[in-house]
Amino acid sequence: MNNTPKLCFIDTETTGLDRNKDNIFQISAKITDPEANEILDEINLTFVPHSLENYEIEALEKTGYTIEQLSSFPLSSPDAFKQFTDWLATHVNRFDRKDKLQFLAYNAPFDSEFVRQWFLKNNDNYFGSFFWNPAICIMQASAWFVQSVRGSFPNFKLATICECAELGWDEDSAHDANYDVTKTVELYRYLRENLSQL
């Protein structure tokens, strides 16, 4: 058995915060070596959400997209889902219970549950065939790192923590899944170097 962990960093952009009513319209993922020093493979998909019946104006404003723009993307949600799962299948055998990817995200409960719901909305009940449970939350790991100075932080957004770690942050590029997941990988590397627990 190969015990080398397969890390898969993921970020999503969604039409709102409710994973049952709102939907993903961008997903970006990067598979790395166990130390996250090297990007082994990556995928970035932008597509029409599964449904536009429900959405939050504030969520769209953060990403800079309008409903009209979301509905005009050339890629559909089912086609994006197939591309994503086909891509995952090149890295794991979904029929082997011992062969899975470790899902990592800055706010892992949010992203992992939205992706899980995306699976279900595409009539696929086997999210767990690709990913270990639970997902690893980089935000929670960061909380250990800054707990002695937590009171000085205005919030715990990815941008704030990256700036604290002197990793830089470009607000004009933020709220794009590919940019955000890139910064999440950088933050994970930083935490590995500075927290012996990781």
Side-chain angles (χ1 to χ4, degrees):
M1 175 182 174
N2 184 359
N3 291 316
T4 303
K6 300 178 182 180
L7 305 186
C8 184
F9 294 82
I10 292 179
D11 192 84
T12 62
E13 296 300 331
T14 68
T15 58
L17 302 178
D18 188 325
R19 64 178 180 269
N20 295 310
K21 295 180 179 179
D22 300 310
N23 292 277
I24 297 172
F25 64 84
Q26 185 187 12
I27 186 166
S28 184
K30 297 180 186 293
I31 293 177
T32 75
D33 66 312
E35 289 74 38
N37 289 326
E38 182 181 358
I39 305 297
L40 303 177
D41 200 2
E42 56 189 314
I43 190 170
N44 181 42
L45 299 169
T46 303
F47 49 92
V48 179
H50 184 77
S51 170
L52 287 170
E53 184 176 347
N54 294 284
Y55 60 90
E56 297 176 14
I57 294 296
E58 291 184 0
L60 298 186
E61 287 178 344
K62 287 182 179 179
T63 63
Y65 285 110
T66 64
I67 283 296
E68 291 73 23
Q69 287 174 313
L70 295 188
S71 63
S72 67
F73 289 143
L75 188 63
S76 69
S77 179
D79 287 344
F81 179 76
K82 185 178 187 308
Q83 286 189 32
F84 183 67
T85 52
D86 284 351
W87 178 77
L88 292 174
T90 65
H91 295 281
V92 294
N93 178 0
R94 67 185 304 173
F95 302 106
D96 183 348
R97 294 183 178 181
K98 297 179 181 180
D99 185 22
K100 300 184 183 184
L101 293 162
Q102 181 61 66
F103 191 118
L104 300 95
Y106 183 70
N107 184 0
F110 178 88
D111 291 294
S112 63
E113 288 305 313
F114 256 96
V115 175
R116 187 185 294 273
Q117 284 298 315
W118 191 38
F119 269 68
L120 294 176
K121 290 173 182 178
N122 282 280
N123 301 311
D124 189 324
N125 297 318
Y126 300 103
F127 170 89
S129 296
F130 287 115
F131 298 105
W132 294 113
N133 185 59
I136 293 177
C137 184
I138 309 305
M139 180 168 62
Q140 292 184 12
S142 301
W144 279 98
F145 186 72
V146 302
Q147 57 187 309
S148 63
V149 293
R150 179 64 182 88
S152 64
F153 284 71
N155 55 58
F156 220 75
K157 296 177 180 179
L158 177 59
T160 302
I161 304 307
C162 283
E163 289 176 342
C164 171
E166 299 183 345
L167 298 174
W169 185 263
D170 180 5
E171 189 59 32
D172 291 336
S173 299
H175 304 297
D176 170 83
N178 194 45
Y179 179 79
D180 290 357
V181 76
T182 297
K183 301 308 290 187
T184 300
V185 173
E186 292 178 14
L187 180 57
Y188 179 83
R189 291 172 183 154
Y190 178 87
L191 292 172
R192 276 190 61 90
E193 292 172 0
N194 290 278
L195 280 179
S196 58
Q197 296 97 322
L198 293 180

